[in-house]
Amino acid sequence: QPALYQYGAEVVSSRLREKFQFRESLEWIQSIQVDESGGKADQLANIYLEWRKQDAEAAQTWKAAAHPDEATRTRFDRSEQFQFLKR
């Protein structure tokens, strides 16, 4: 049941994010194999950006090692550019 797994992974990820456990939160979203909602890249980018606000060095180290797919890399880049323009 991919949809059920996705829902559970999103719930666990959200709880971890609330506790500022960003690496673990990202790992749960990355574990989603079938993206029923199409929002996996957005979720990863949002968690990553929140982490960057808390600990930029750790977040960037994770990003460099994570090897995200093309859609996720594009979303990260767009989000980072948007954050830069907001300053």
Side-chain angles (χ1 to χ4, degrees):
Q1 295 286 354
L4 184 58
Y5 180 85
Q6 180 176 350
Y7 174 76
E10 290 171 350
V11 169
V12 171
S13 174
S14 177
R15 298 298 183 261
L16 290 166
R17 188 177 178 181
E18 291 170 0
K19 296 178 181 182
F20 302 100
Q21 294 176 322
F22 299 109
R23 180 181 312 278
E24 294 83 357
S25 177
L26 286 161
E27 288 172 0
W28 273 97
I29 296 301
Q30 284 182 305
S31 75
I32 297 170
Q33 298 298 314
V34 178
D35 187 12
E36 296 285 331
S37 67
K40 181 177 175 177
D42 288 339
Q43 290 182 57
L44 288 168
N46 291 336
I47 297 165
Y48 167 73
L49 287 175
E50 188 175 339
W51 190 9
R52 253 189 60 185
K53 290 177 189 175
Q54 300 292 323
D55 186 349
E57 186 176 337
Q60 290 168 338
T61 299
W62 172 85
K63 180 184 165 192
H67 306 293
D69 62 30
E70 184 64 32
T72 304
R73 272 196 310 273
T74 299
R75 182 66 176 89
F76 282 174
D77 293 343
R78 276 196 227 134
S79 297
E80 288 175 327
Q81 290 169 357
F82 180 73
Q83 289 295 317
F84 179 75
L85 293 174
K86 285 177 59 176
R87 292 180 188 173

